[in-house]
Amino acid sequence: MADNMTQTTPMMRQYEKIKAQHRDAFLFFRLGDFYELFQEDALKAAKELEITLTKRGKGEDAIPMCGVPHHSSEQYISRLIEKGFKVAICEQTEDPAAAKGVVKREVVQIITPGTVMSGQAVSEKSNQYVAAIGEESAHSFAVAAADMTTGEIFVTGAEDFTLALEELLSYEPKEIVLTSEMSEDFKEKLRHRSQLPVSEAANLQIEKDFSALVDQVPAEFLKRTCSQLMQYFLETTKRDLDHLQNVTYYESSQYLSIDGYSRRNLEITETMRDRKKKGSLLSVLDRTETAMGARRLKRWLERPAVHKETAEKRQELTAAFLEHFLERETVREQLRGVYDLERLSGRVAFGNVNGRDLIQLKKSLQQLPYIFETLKALNSSYAEQLIGTLSSPEPLVELLEQSIKEDCPPSITDGNLIKDSYHEQLDQYRDAMINGKSWIAELEAKEKKETGIKSLKIGFNKVFGYYIEVSRANLKYLPEGRYERKQTLTNAERYVTKELKEKEQIILEAEDKGGKLEYELFLEVRKKVKSYIRLLQDTAKAVSIIDVLQSFAEVAEQNHYVRPVFTKKRNVLLRESRHPVVEVTIDAGEYVANDILLHEERDMLLITGPNMAGKSTYMRQLALIVIMAQAGSFVPAAEAELPLFDHIFTRIGAADDLSQGQSTFMIEMLETKQAVERATPSSLILLDEIGRGTSTYDGMALAQAVIEHIHDKIKAMTLFSTHYHELTSLEHELARLKNVHVSAVEEEGKLTFLHKLVEGAADKSYGIHVARLADLPDSLIKRADHILSALENGKNQNGTAEKREAEPQQLSLFEEVPEHPIINELKELDVMNLTPMQAIQLLNDFQQKLK
Ligand code: ADP
């Protein structure tokens, strides 16, 4: 190759120039069969990918370099992407043989964590969002999120930065896109608060091609934020993005809003501790059969509906699936054969589908009529609505049926892709090849017979083409001048004849031309498939909804769920309800079902009961049932009537949140503030042991104030669990607050939690009761009883501890002082020469040592 690597070579100058435009990405620089990385990129990549670092050039001019083979580059790229890096792919854009001087090179794609289209970095069962944020003023923000793999784009407005950030984070984006116009402060704030890679889109003009996509978006400013995303996609992928779908505009009031904290805390899609799906609500509900269905289910649980019609439509088809067991089984089986049409459309637009993808596409589409036929038996109007508007995929199926071979290879350049009879010219080339090859086979047989040399054979290699080979031992049988000698080997001679060369010409030409034609035909088919992208996307949407609803039915049957009824009244009526996740993680039949009753005159429950009795399980149970119901699912109860909630807020007292460190109490208060500021009478608030993170009186006072505020001002439906039994007296003052408690009994000296919720406050002396059962010394228990009754009789209202009956022996300073290292240090101390700060420090040290 003409390129020579030293810093002064033209190629290195070319590298520098390209690298300067892609400072924030690893530049994969194509050199023959390798992608090479140089300088800083090489040092970093060698470490991240654990590949050998080499040098190019000598002495001071030597440049750090490392490389990965082109054919296995995908795994290396995936690894970098998974670590949150970007990779710029720089290809040779002209034939090196034809190049004058340095081969032309260009960056053809920038792969980023949010725009990667295939490989391990793309999770099948969740969307892969890139989010954008726009700031119009301090009170007007826009948030857009798009999934490049499926082409979906969403946009909404937000009133302040915190809400905008919360909305943005709810998408769990892989990266955030900003504009260069935004202030450094804003970018920094976003980087800091989101902890996500932040990129910039250069251009903000809405491309002509995209202007139709934002038609439905109501404000210019929101459109610009969508465009921010689209531009970023264009700049990174450098392709037409025909699969981008119309932007969906929504207002946050369209969905049941669950802030990030509650989402994590309620373990909707993953567990808090290890962030795994197993153990989450999603894992219990997910019996989907397609990746599209799995993604939709996740989205519905993250954004349940607030409109009754939406939820009821879903319930209707779920109910139909429940009633028709056989049809459901059939549909499940049929769905198993449906490929990820949504992501496939993306890859079709991207131009990276192969023959096998197209075969899978065909098979998926061939399943559809059967699925639709099965659905007809359900008599569901929603099912009809879903499939009624879809155009027929028949022409596409026919095209694929006629063109692509069932057993095609993964490569699209090695032939064997296109079926016979699809294209006349290709058939002719194939005939020529087949005829030529059988002519050669016949020639071999004929020559063997005529010369009598049994081992005579006709072979082929790339340098000499076809040849007749006769072994040295048999040369004596070969008539002189029969063939023309071409090559001499140690043990054989190789010959050709004029006719053989003529046939060879025909075969090779047919092979070459046929190969090229086949590739062109494949690209043509692929392009035709591209014109069906909208159909594929619409179909994908319908199939994914059907899939989620059959999954709802499947789970409803197995776990004995009931269809919830939505009421316009402020009524929660759940009979024999269960926590959907806990009930399946403990032994069958072990879960104790509970009623949850709330209404206009009883919209706050104060839940008491010993630790581990089941207070927080009861509260979460309600929240999860609300989420399930509004997502369209049936719920774990014997009977369920619910209003449609607008927000769910959950706050857990700081003492339970051990992992968070010192400022937990502050966080708890900030989160409580959010709930009291944003909740409405249609919200659900769950407060679990609020006020625990501070001293008793302090905490109790706060808890009481919060309860009163919610009761008098917000009027949201609220469950409040507490271990401050004193708060149960609030029932007399707050009209709509009711005491309930989780019961426990003593049986044969053992305390058993019944997990049963009953009306009224818990037995106040439970703590001491438990201590007695635990066999603590009698004297200690007696003393505790005494202090308790003193507290109860109001003898001690000033917040100090109950006076001790017998003072322990005081240590007299004037008697003999015992030996202790600290006392010795004190004795030695030169008090007059200490600064006040040093004195405080010393006191602190002493205290630490004594702890
Ligand atoms: P608390 O909040 O009162 O301390 P939790 O709600 O954390 O108690 O429940 C403690 C344990 O009891 C949980 O691990 C759960 O498995 C179990 N539990 C809670 N409610 C029930 C129930 N209704 N039926 C069976 N087990 C339950």
Side-chain angles (χ1 to χ4, degrees):
M1 189 177 298
D3 298 327
N4 182 18
M5 283 298 310
T6 69
Q7 285 200 357
T8 52
T9 60
M11 194 185 79
M12 201 54 201
R13 284 200 290 278
Q14 183 191 40
Y15 171 84
E16 294 286 1
K17 206 166 141 198
I18 299 175
K19 178 67 202 173
Q21 291 161 3
H22 299 95
R23 286 263 157 250
D24 62 346
F26 281 102
L27 185 64
F28 273 47
F29 195 76
R30 184 72 180 265
L31 257 179
D33 285 338
F34 277 78
Y35 286 118
E36 301 288 3
L37 294 109
F38 301 113
Q39 297 168 337
E40 278 300 304
D41 276 6
L43 296 172
K44 233 161 89 181
K47 207 165 111 217
E48 296 290 348
L49 297 172
E50 294 169 6
I51 53 177
T52 316
L53 185 68
T54 57
K55 278 192 172 151
R56 219 22 204 263
K58 287 210 176 80
E60 283 186 3
D61 286 345
I63 298 164
M65 177 179 93
C66 63
V68 300
H70 166 250
H71 63 86
S72 59
S73 60
E74 192 176 304
Q75 47 163 315
Y76 294 104
I77 296 170
S78 280
R79 268 160 61 193
L80 290 173
I81 299 301
E82 270 173 59
K83 290 176 180 217
F85 297 111
K86 297 183 184 180
V87 175
I89 307 289
C90 178
E91 294 289 358
Q92 298 173 168
T93 48
E94 66 178 342
D95 184 352
K100 292 199 186 92
V102 183
V103 184
K104 276 203 190 101
R105 289 186 178 82
E106 254 174 67
V107 169
V108 296
Q109 186 184 358
I110 304 163
I111 306 174
T112 72
T115 60
V116 55
M117 289 293 281
S118 53
Q120 295 131 357
V122 182
S123 150
E124 197 185 309
K125 293 198 166 185
S126 35
N127 277 103
Q128 172 183 288
Y129 290 111
V130 179
I133 189 164
E135 184 187 23
E136 190 184 32
S137 71
H139 304 292
S140 175
F141 290 79
V143 175
D147 182 341
M148 257 277 291
T149 64
T150 63
E152 295 154 296
I153 309 183
F154 303 92
V155 68
T156 188
E159 283 160 24
D160 62 41
F161 179 73
T162 307
L163 287 177
L165 187 68
E166 195 163 282
E167 190 65 32
L168 181 143
L169 293 177
S170 74
Y171 285 97
E172 296 172 29
K174 296 276 194 249
E175 55 184 304
I176 302 180
V177 179
L178 299 177
T179 70
S180 45
E181 297 161 9
M182 285 171 171
S183 69
E184 279 308 316
D185 271 2
F186 186 83
K187 287 180 201 163
E188 197 38 53
K189 194 158 97 176
L190 203 64
R191 222 174 251 128
H192 177 72
R193 298 272 299 270
S194 71
Q195 298 290 316
L196 285 166
V198 170
S199 307
E200 276 179 28
N203 180 353
L204 277 192
Q205 291 308 308
I206 295 174
E207 295 275 319
K208 252 212 307 300
D209 294 355
F210 291 154
S211 57
L213 300 182
V214 290
D215 259 3
Q216 307 295 317
V217 180
E220 215 32 56
F221 158 62
L222 298 168
K223 287 184 186 178
R224 263 207 326 272
T225 308
C226 299
S227 153
Q228 212 166 299
L229 278 178
M230 295 172 184
Q231 283 307 330
Y232 182 67
F233 288 160
L234 280 179
E235 284 161 25
T236 52
T237 61
K238 302 186 189 296
R239 298 173 204 220
D240 306 333
L241 298 170
D242 292 343
H243 69 304
L244 289 187
Q245 303 185 31
N246 285 336
V247 175
T248 308
Y249 167 75
Y250 64 95
E251 286 172 18
S252 55
S253 59
Q254 261 167 274
Y255 297 111
L256 165 64
S257 127
I258 314 166
D259 57 304
Y261 176 85
S262 303
R263 205 183 301 254
R264 280 192 301 282
N265 194 259
L266 292 169
E267 307 196 308
I268 300 173
T269 57
E270 60 185 27
T271 56
M272 286 249 270
R273 191 176 306 164
D274 51 11
R275 306 202 61 191
K276 292 261 163 61
K277 177 178 164 188
K278 193 168 185 285
S280 67
L281 177 65
L282 176 62
S283 75
V284 174
L285 296 184
D286 190 359
R287 301 287 164 81
T288 57
E289 295 290 353
T290 67
M292 303 170 277
R295 291 196 296 269
R296 180 166 300 275
L297 171 61
K298 182 162 184 271
R299 205 188 300 162
W300 280 2
L301 292 179
E302 284 167 343
R303 287 191 162 67
V306 292
H307 296 304
K308 195 169 166 216
E309 300 70 38
T310 313
E312 284 181 343
K313 243 176 9 188
R314 298 176 189 170
Q315 287 183 345
E316 187 250 355
L317 181 49
T318 304
F321 270 128
L322 255 176
E323 280 161 30
H324 294 81
F325 172 78
L326 285 178
E327 283 81 1
R328 188 171 84 233
E329 274 305 295
T330 314
V331 166
R332 286 172 61 77
E333 183 67 42
Q334 288 162 339
L335 284 171
R336 258 166 241 158
V338 179
Y339 188 54
D340 194 339
L341 298 175
E342 234 172 4
R343 289 228 160 119
L344 188 90
S345 316
R347 287 174 42 215
V348 167
F350 228 69
N352 62 355
V353 285
N354 60 17
R356 290 186 179 177
D357 291 326
L358 294 185
I359 290 298
Q360 277 184 309
L361 172 61
K362 182 184 78 180
K363 290 191 173 148
S364 309
L365 295 175
Q366 282 169 332
Q367 284 285 354
L368 295 178
Y370 298 107
I371 297 181
F372 298 164
E373 194 55 40
T374 321
L375 288 175
K376 274 196 193 135
L378 301 182
N379 278 327
S380 148
S381 57
Y382 189 37
E384 266 164 42
Q385 185 197 328
L386 281 173
I387 58 183
T389 52
L390 294 180
S391 334
S392 162
E394 202 43 47
L396 175 56
V397 173
E398 218 163 273
L399 166 72
L400 295 173
E401 181 65 28
Q402 284 166 1
S403 57
I404 309 290
K405 280 193 175 182
E406 296 285 323
D407 55 351
C408 57
S411 157
I412 58 169
T413 49
D414 296 344
N416 209 20
L417 285 166
I418 304 290
K419 277 188 175 168
D420 288 340
S421 319
Y422 177 67
H423 195 270
E424 211 180 311
Q425 183 70 55
L426 182 64
D427 286 349
Q428 282 171 8
Y429 289 138
R430 281 184 177 158
D431 282 349
M433 265 155 46
I434 292 165
N435 289 341
K437 282 181 180 165
S438 66
W439 182 88
I440 284 173
E442 279 164 24
L443 178 70
E444 189 183 71
K446 180 174 139 255
E447 292 303 308
K448 264 186 194 171
K449 197 167 163 214
E450 288 186 6
T451 58
I453 305 172
K454 287 219 180 77
S455 65
L456 178 147
K457 64 176 185 202
I458 298 185
F460 177 83
N461 71 31
K462 280 198 178 142
V463 183
F464 295 108
Y466 286 97
Y467 53 80
I468 303 168
E469 187 174 294
V470 180
S471 64
R472 194 151 297 285
N474 284 311
L475 280 180
K476 52 183 178 288
Y477 305 113
L478 190 68
E480 190 65 29
R482 188 174 177 88
Y483 315 124
E484 187 187 323
R485 175 172 301 137
K486 191 80 192 166
Q487 192 191 7
T488 303
L489 308 177
T490 332
N491 293 322
E493 288 288 339
R494 286 177 176 174
Y495 304 92
V496 293
T497 69
K498 197 159 155 262
E499 291 105 324
L500 184 62
K501 283 290 126 181
E502 275 168 15
K503 281 290 171 199
E504 176 189 296
Q505 177 78 14
I506 294 170
I507 294 172
L508 292 184
E509 201 176 299
E511 234 168 38
D512 180 47
K513 289 195 174 155
K516 283 190 182 134
L517 177 60
E518 210 171 339
Y519 179 66
E520 276 165 28
L521 290 173
F522 180 79
L523 295 188
E524 208 178 279
V525 172
R526 200 160 76 177
K527 202 163 154 206
K528 283 187 192 157
V529 176
K530 211 165 163 175
S531 64
Y532 290 94
I533 281 183
R534 291 285 171 258
L535 178 144
L536 293 178
Q537 288 172 334
D538 292 345
T539 310
K541 188 170 171 200
V543 169
S544 68
I545 293 175
I546 291 162
D547 193 12
V548 177
L549 298 179
Q550 69 73 19
S551 171
F552 279 167
E554 188 75 8
V555 183
E557 183 171 273
Q558 276 192 12
N559 297 353
H560 310 288
Y561 293 172
V562 62
R563 177 177 181 163
V565 175
F566 293 110
T567 164
K568 286 220 161 63
K569 293 190 225 142
R570 292 183 72 224
N571 267 8
V572 169
L573 185 153
L574 294 173
R575 293 222 183 275
E576 305 275 295
S577 68
R578 289 111 50 200
H579 186 297
V581 183
V582 176
E583 78 160 335
V584 297
T585 44
I586 60 180
D587 289 343
E590 287 284 299
Y591 196 87
V592 180
N594 272 307
D595 295 347
I596 305 182
L597 298 175
L598 294 162
H599 50 75
E600 213 50 80
E601 261 89 62
R602 172 194 160 100
D603 60 11
M604 277 190 114
L605 296 184
L606 188 78
I607 310 170
T608 43
N611 259 347
M612 291 300 287
K615 298 186 293 299
S616 56
T617 308
Y618 183 79
M619 298 205 291
R620 283 151 200 262
Q621 186 167 312
L622 174 58
L624 293 179
I625 287 178
V626 166
I627 291 168
M628 289 167 77
Q630 293 188 214
S633 166
F634 286 18
V635 299
E639 187 188 346
E641 186 180 307
L642 291 163
L644 286 134
F645 289 96
D646 61 359
H647 282 80
I648 292 183
F649 297 97
T650 61
R651 296 296 170 254
I652 305 292
D656 275 7
D657 217 352
L658 296 172
S659 59
Q660 301 256 338
Q662 288 179 341
S663 60
T664 13
F665 185 66
M666 186 60 185
I667 294 172
E668 177 191 332
M669 286 300 116
L670 284 173
E671 283 161 354
T672 310
K673 171 185 141 180
Q674 266 209 24
V676 295
E677 267 179 9
R678 287 167 50 195
T680 74
S682 301
S683 304
L684 174 64
I685 305 182
L686 307 178
L687 298 174
D688 197 353
E689 303 274 15
I690 282 293
R692 244 171 98 162
T694 180
S695 73
T696 307
Y697 285 93
D698 206 17
M700 197 153 54
L702 263 170
Q704 180 170 343
V706 170
I707 294 174
E708 287 171 358
H709 182 87
I710 296 175
H711 180 272
D712 298 342
K713 307 239 164 78
I714 303 176
K715 304 185 167 68
M717 287 200 166
T718 305
L719 302 189
F720 195 106
S721 83
T722 184
H723 65 292
Y724 297 131
H725 296 286
E726 293 80 352
L727 293 177
T728 55
S729 64
L730 283 173
E731 193 181 44
H732 308 300
E733 284 152 49
L734 305 177
R736 301 184 324 278
L737 178 135
K738 296 286 173 268
N739 286 325
V740 291
H741 72 278
V742 196
S743 57
V745 290
E746 185 194 337
E747 270 172 357
E748 294 165 13
K750 253 181 75 186
L751 187 73
T752 311
F753 296 124
L754 297 180
H755 303 305
K756 195 76 192 167
L757 206 96
V758 280
E759 298 289 309
D763 179 354
K764 282 192 249 176
S765 57
Y766 243 119
I768 298 173
H769 189 75
V770 176
R772 185 173 291 130
L773 290 172
D775 254 353
L776 281 173
D778 270 353
S779 60
L780 189 153
I781 303 277
K782 264 199 199 128
R783 173 71 183 140
D785 267 333
H786 179 84
I787 298 172
L788 178 70
S789 54
L791 285 168
E792 279 174 354
N793 295 335
K795 275 205 280 179
N796 190 345
Q797 296 292 350
N798 57 3
T800 58
E802 167 65 8
K803 273 245 158 33
R804 312 180 66 163
E805 282 156 353
E807 301 285 324
Q809 270 220 306
Q810 285 270 320
L811 183 70
S812 163
L813 285 173
F814 303 105
E815 281 173 27
E816 203 186 330
V817 180
E819 279 291 306
H820 189 282
I822 289 183
I823 290 173
N824 290 340
E825 269 187 69
L826 265 174
K827 279 185 192 160
E828 303 293 337
L829 211 63
D830 183 2
V831 178
M832 298 318 284
N833 281 325
L834 283 180
T835 67
M837 267 319 283
Q838 283 169 333
I840 290 175
Q841 185 58 47
L842 260 170
L843 264 177
N844 187 48
D845 289 348
F846 288 154
Q847 198 180 37
Q848 291 304 321
K849 282 182 191 159
L850 289 171
K851 268 184 183 166

